[in-house]
Amino acid sequence: MITIIKLQNLFTDLSPRGMDQVFSDWEMLVGFGAMAECQPIVIAAGAEEIQHRVDPQHILVETQVEKNNAGIGRIYFAFPNELVIDIIGELMMVPDSVKEERSRLGLSENDVETFQEMANLLCGSWNRVFQDLERNLRISQSVDDLVVSASLGSSCALVDRIPEGRVAWVDTKIIAGDKTYRSLIVLPFDVALAVTEEFYATTDPRAARAS
């Protein structure tokens, strides 16, 4: 039986593993250095309950969690626009003055398209973690599954894209130099349970970490 305690224990280990790998890969491939501090996973009644946890102007990466090449549900990563612009700026090697102007004007369609590649790298980083932990899970990098959405005007990508119902979410602080950003990892509750079930089907994933 999968309990809330098991779910919490798993994501206490898995969330920082995944995000550490993401930022390690982003630094190696595009030169953006950062670290992530992940809080314990929390259950909420719905996306509306947690939308204040990320900047109103944010970008949402969503894709499919798969087992045996079959989808078991969606997973979401919310990043504030300021972080997205800083990452794109590093990728495109633009001066700080241009970053500041983009922050004032908001994300363009081209910015969203550029960040799509970073989203693809994010999925690959998490897949490396699943592979290292010898679990039959992956995050889809398919163009049919991977969607990057920006909050425009008064719209909230987090609320608009995540279906109604309970969610499991991880509050993640991203530290890059002297800047700190707030981001979120969100899964529908049933998807979080399915991921936990896969890990606890054989052994405790923390044993792999200890070894």
Side-chain angles (χ1 to χ4, degrees):
M1 178 180 177
I2 299 301
T3 65
I4 297 297
I5 296 299
K6 286 182 177 179
L7 186 153
Q8 291 172 332
N9 287 343
L10 171 65
F11 281 92
T12 294
D13 180 87
L14 187 60
S15 300
R17 272 182 180 263
M19 296 311 295
D20 284 350
Q21 188 65 57
V22 168
F23 287 110
S24 176
D25 291 345
W26 282 3
E27 182 172 15
M28 179 178 65
L29 295 170
V30 304
F32 183 82
M35 61 176 292
E37 295 182 355
C38 298
Q39 297 300 310
I41 198 166
V42 180
I43 311 304
E48 295 88 350
E49 189 175 310
I50 62 173
Q51 62 179 305
H52 67 285
R53 296 285 183 169
V54 69
D55 192 281
Q57 297 305 306
H58 61 270
I59 207 165
L60 190 73
V61 175
E62 60 177 295
T63 187
Q64 184 91 250
V65 181
E66 297 179 335
K67 177 182 178 181
N68 296 325
N69 296 318
I72 62 174
R74 308 294 283 178
I75 185 170
Y76 306 85
F77 301 86
F79 300 104
N81 282 9
E82 184 182 2
L83 172 61
V84 172
I85 289 167
D86 282 348
I87 293 171
I88 293 172
E90 197 70 34
L91 179 64
M92 306 300 290
M93 294 185 291
V94 302
D96 289 342
S97 59
V98 175
K99 293 180 188 178
E100 292 171 2
E101 181 68 8
R102 286 188 177 182
S103 295
R104 187 180 65 81
L105 295 175
L107 296 175
S108 66
E109 288 186 13
N110 187 58
D111 291 330
V112 176
E113 290 176 5
T114 300
F115 197 73
Q116 184 89 20
E117 180 56 31
M118 304 303 298
N120 187 61
L121 293 174
L122 178 149
C123 296
S125 299
W126 274 82
N127 288 339
R128 185 174 304 165
V129 171
F130 289 141
Q131 185 176 24
D132 289 346
L133 293 174
E134 299 182 348
R135 288 304 187 272
N136 191 25
L137 292 170
R138 68 183 304 276
I139 295 180
S140 176
Q141 293 169 273
S142 165
V143 294
D144 294 328
D145 294 326
L146 183 57
V147 179
V148 177
S149 306
S151 296
L152 300 173
S154 60
S155 71
C156 175
L158 191 76
V159 173
D160 292 346
R161 299 294 305 184
I162 298 179
E164 293 184 1
R166 287 199 294 172
V167 296
W169 62 281
V170 177
D171 194 351
T172 304
K173 182 168 69 172
I174 298 170
I175 303 166
D178 59 354
K179 292 185 177 180
T180 300
Y181 313 89
R182 196 89 170 269
S183 68
L184 301 177
I185 306 168
V186 186
L187 302 92
F189 183 63
D190 60 338
V191 179
L193 285 178
V195 171
T196 305
E197 185 175 60
E198 173 63 20
F199 273 84
Y200 279 94
T202 52
T203 58
D204 189 329
R206 288 171 296 180
R209 188 174 190 177
S211 64

